[in-house]
Amino acid sequence: MDKHEIRQDPIRERIIGSLSYLENNRNALFGVLAVIVIIIAGSGYYSSNSKALSMESASNLGTALITFSTDKDSGVLLLSKVLDEGDNASKQVAMATLVNHYYTNDQFFEVDSLLNMDVKITDEVILSKLLSLKGDMRANDGDFELALESYSGSLDAYPSIEVELKMANAHHMAGDNDKARAIVDA
């Protein structure tokens, strides 16, 4: 090997080429790095803000439930506030608590209003119970078509013999004895 071949080291040439490329495209490199820093900072802020909202919502829910256990009227107000301002998990608990309270006190208009709110219920059992309750209220009003829709949704969320019997009763009350018999016989 002669001196010229030894001086032509391919690794050294690539390193020098890479450094030269970075130097020539310095502005683009700083732009990419700035965008990455902004994305990381933005996601950190969003995550921190989301956690803070969740913690505040959980705290407000806890306060509302404790107040509700001793003073129903004040508790209802606090639970309604959680229902308006809380995160989805807190809204679910507040809604279930308020529905139970209003239903046991025969305040069906309030129950109906709560059941028609746009709260995403993720627990299948709670969703099934709320839809079954909605079906009961529709059946009591004589609207068997809507009652059957609610019962069907309840069964889709969480199957229950109790809801199947309610569905059979709604078919019977609507005058469709064949469907009622088919549900009971199944």
Side-chain angles (χ1 to χ4, degrees):
M1 287 190 153
D2 64 354
K3 280 180 154 180
H4 192 273
E5 289 179 3
I6 292 175
R7 286 187 183 168
Q8 290 184 338
D9 184 12
I11 295 174
R12 182 177 170 207
E13 286 180 15
R14 285 188 184 210
I15 292 172
I16 292 172
S18 297
L19 290 174
S20 160
Y21 177 79
L22 290 175
E23 187 175 328
N24 292 337
N25 297 308
R26 185 180 329 172
N27 290 340
L29 176 66
F30 285 134
V32 169
L33 287 176
V35 168
I36 291 172
V37 167
I38 289 172
I39 289 173
I40 290 172
S43 65
Y45 174 76
Y46 175 75
S47 174
S48 173
N49 208 18
S50 176
K51 283 183 182 179
L53 174 65
S54 179
M55 299 257 313
E56 181 182 352
S57 183
S59 175
N60 290 343
L61 176 65
T63 302
L65 290 173
I66 290 169
T67 304
F68 183 76
S69 68
T70 58
D71 180 11
K72 299 292 186 206
D73 293 333
S74 298
V76 165
L77 291 174
L78 291 173
L79 285 168
S80 296
K81 183 178 177 184
V82 169
L83 202 55
D84 290 336
E85 300 172 0
D87 65 348
N88 197 53
S90 296
K91 284 182 178 184
Q92 291 179 62
V93 175
M95 182 177 181
T97 304
L98 287 172
V99 165
N100 183 50
H101 170 70
Y102 288 136
Y103 188 76
T104 56
N105 291 309
D106 296 329
Q107 295 174 319
F108 299 116
F109 178 76
E110 286 82 359
V111 173
D112 195 40
S113 296
L114 286 169
L115 292 176
N116 290 321
M117 288 185 74
D118 190 25
V119 175
K120 174 98 171 97
I121 306 294
T122 56
D123 185 273
E124 296 89 9
V125 175
I126 292 174
L127 178 62
S128 176
K129 292 292 183 188
L130 290 175
L131 287 171
S132 175
L133 179 61
K134 191 173 188 175
D136 293 347
M137 292 175 62
R138 297 298 172 253
N140 287 340
D141 291 342
D143 192 347
F144 299 110
E145 186 175 321
L146 285 177
L148 289 168
E149 283 180 29
S150 295
Y151 291 145
S152 179
S154 175
L155 289 172
D156 289 343
Y158 191 81
S160 158
I161 293 173
E162 175 188 354
V163 176
E164 287 181 18
L165 291 175
K166 288 179 180 184
M167 186 176 244
N169 187 46
H171 278 297
H172 172 72
M173 297 301 289
D176 195 349
N177 292 329
D178 293 336
K179 285 186 180 179
R181 187 176 318 275
I183 291 172
V184 172
D185 289 342

